[in-house]
Amino acid sequence: MNVARSFNNWRKFRQTVTELGRMSSRELQDLGIDRADIRSLARASIAR
């Protein structure tokens, strides 16, 4: 994996974690997301 791709994946991971982390527990619940699952969902977002 090249450096640019690694950096872009890291940025996408951080952006996902940040955006989901800013949501209220109610908003996350409405989406069916548990707060403890945010990091694993962010990892999954870069695997796509």
Side-chain angles (χ1 to χ4, degrees):
M1 189 181 296
N2 63 30
V3 175
R5 183 178 292 162
S6 294
F7 178 72
N8 284 333
N9 285 343
W10 174 80
R11 237 179 25 168
K12 188 174 181 181
F13 172 82
R14 290 302 314 151
Q15 181 180 8
T16 303
V17 169
T18 301
E19 288 179 8
L20 290 174
R22 287 181 178 162
M23 296 178 94
S24 70
S25 294
R26 175 64 183 196
E27 291 171 318
L28 290 172
Q29 184 181 23
D30 287 346
L31 294 172
I33 299 172
D34 188 55
R35 194 164 292 281
D37 295 332
I38 290 175
R39 293 181 72 79
S40 62
L41 289 170
R43 275 189 219 99
S45 75
I46 62 173
R48 295 180 192 177

